[in-house]
Every structure is written in structure tokens, then in C-alpha cells.
């Protein structure tokens, strides 16, 4: 399998962690590409030129981190990161969605701040910052437990580390002791250490 990534991407990090947790890392070739440069190998497999993109064992391109993570979770060994059904599946998916939402707001902020200063929208920057905080507050209230790793816990951990990495001026820690503890615990796992954003 081939996995197209950028090393700072939190969405790519998420699936890289899943691959390691599920014992699949040695079956996946990680290929660093430049999405903004329309990397030809990425463009030929993902029409919107985004990472991560996984070329599955049967050659099918899979896009979007939740889809890729679920595929790897089904293929790999060990405890499932996504429960099969019912209320527990909804709980995990809710956490995963909140983590992804915080990341999406953070990515929008990064892209807006890369625009020339005179083209930036102060109102959008404020809205995305507030929404990112709300998503983090909802994750804090859910109190994800690092001792019970699942896709929601994993995504929440990836989100807070990436927000701290990309938005060092944003204080995500104050008032969020559950997320601070989550990050401290998860970032000691080999899968997290091996994929830390650079």
C-alpha cells in the first residue's frame, strides 16, 4: 500500500498512527508529497489533491482520514479502534468528529493567515478561532480517556498537539485539564512519538 502524506498534516498523522497501532506500518509506503504543488502522483489518485490518500491493497484510492482510518482498523490486528455498532460506535464517532472539527477550523486559520495581509478576513479568523475553541471545549467535556484508545481518543490527541504546533499563540490548555492529561499520556506512545509533526 502507498500512503501520500505531508509530515505536518494532522489528518495524515491520524492515519499514520492507526497504521502503527494496528501493526500495518511495514505494509505501507509513506510518500511525502506537495499538495499545493499539485503533486502528479497525488493528483492522479485524489481529484482535490489532499492528504492523506491511501492506495489500498487492491489498488483502490481512498481519500479522507476517517475513511482511511476505518479501512486500516478493519485490516489490522488487535483491538478495534472503531466499535462495530450501537451506542459505543456513536460515542467514538462523536469524539472523532469533534476532533476533526477542531482541526478543520485550525487548518482554515492557517490558510487564511498565509494570504497577503490586506486580503485576510478578520471576521473569518475570529469565527474559526471561536469555533475551534468550542470544539475543544466539547472534547474537554467528553473527557477522552487515553487508557481506552479508540478513534475518538486518538483524534482528540492529534488535534490538541497539532493546534499547539500550528497555533503556538493560541492557549488551548487553560481550562482544559482533561485534554492536557490526554495529550501528555498519548504523546508517550510509540505511534505518536514516531509521527510527531515536523
Amino acid at each position: 500500500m502507498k500512503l501520500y502524506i505531508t509530515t505536518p498534516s494532522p489528518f495524515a498523522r491520524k492515519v499514520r498512527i492507526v497504521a502503527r497501532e494496528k501493526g500495518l506500518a511495514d505494509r505501507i509506503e509513506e510518500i511525502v508529497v506537495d499538495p499545493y504543488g499539485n503533486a502528479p502522483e497525488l493528483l492522479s489518485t485524489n481529484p482535490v489533491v489532499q492528504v492523506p490518500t491511501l492506495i489500498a491493497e487492491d489498488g483502490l484510492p481512498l481519500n479522507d482520514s476517517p475513511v482511511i482510518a476505518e479501512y486500516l482498523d478493519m485490516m489490522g490486528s488487535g483491538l478495534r479502534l472503531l466499535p462495530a455498532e450501537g451506542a459505543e460506535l456513536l460515542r467514538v464517532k462523536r469524539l472523532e468528529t469533534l476532533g476533526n472539527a477542531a482541526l478543520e477550523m485550525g487548518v482554515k486559520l492557517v490558510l487564511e493567515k498565509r494570504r497577503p495581509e490586506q486580503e485576510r478576513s478578520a471576521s473569518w479568523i475570529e469565527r474559526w478561532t471561536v469555533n475551534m475553541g468550542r470544539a475543544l471545549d466539547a472534547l474537554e467535556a467528553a473527557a477522552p480517556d487515553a487508557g481506552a484508545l479508540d478513534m475518538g481518543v486518538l483524534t482528540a490527541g492529534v488535534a490538541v498537539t497539532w493546534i499547539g504546533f500550528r497555533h503556538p499563540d493560541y492557549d488551548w490548555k487553560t481550562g482544559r485539564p482533561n485534554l492536557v492529561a490526554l495529550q501528555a499520556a498519548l504523546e508517550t506512545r510509540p505511534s505518536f512519538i514516531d509521527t510527531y509533526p515536523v
Side-chain angles (χ1 to χ4, degrees), residues 73-192:
D73 189 34
M74 289 187 300
M75 285 191 60
S77 60
L79 183 68
R80 289 289 304 270
L81 296 172
L82 270 176
E85 60 188 1
E88 184 62 10
L89 174 62
L90 290 177
R91 183 195 66 78
V92 172
K93 284 284 196 180
R94 178 178 178 272
L95 278 181
E96 181 183 24
T97 300
L98 286 170
N100 283 339
L103 287 170
E104 287 170 12
M105 295 300 104
V107 168
K108 287 179 179 185
L109 284 169
V110 167
L111 295 177
E112 187 70 15
K113 290 176 181 178
R114 287 182 181 169
R115 292 164 53 119
E117 191 168 351
Q118 67 275 14
E119 294 179 16
R120 294 178 196 163
S121 169
S123 62
W124 280 117
I125 288 173
E126 180 181 0
R127 181 169 177 80
W128 292 327
T129 302
V130 168
N131 285 348
M132 184 170 70
R134 288 178 182 148
L136 291 173
D137 288 342
L139 284 171
E140 172 67 20
D145 178 8
L149 188 69
D150 58 36
M151 206 69 75
V153 169
L154 188 157
T155 305
V158 166
V160 294
T161 292
W162 183 84
I163 288 168
F165 168 73
R166 274 293 187 218
H167 301 285
D169 55 335
Y170 179 81
D171 178 15
W172 68 265
K173 294 181 179 182
T174 299
R176 299 185 183 111
N178 293 324
L179 293 182
V180 170
L182 177 74
Q183 183 197 39
L186 289 179
E187 291 298 343
T188 65
R189 295 179 75 94
S191 62
F192 279 74

Side-chain angles (χ1 to χ4, degrees), residues 3 5-9 11-21 25 30 72 191 194-197:
L3 179 64
I5 65 166
T6 62
T7 53
S9 165
F11 300 106
R13 185 183 191 207
K14 176 178 163 178
V15 300
R16 295 172 70 210
I17 290 169
V18 172
R20 285 153 176 79
E21 291 287 341
E30 293 182 355
L72 296 176
S191 62
D194 192 39
T195 60
Y196 196 83

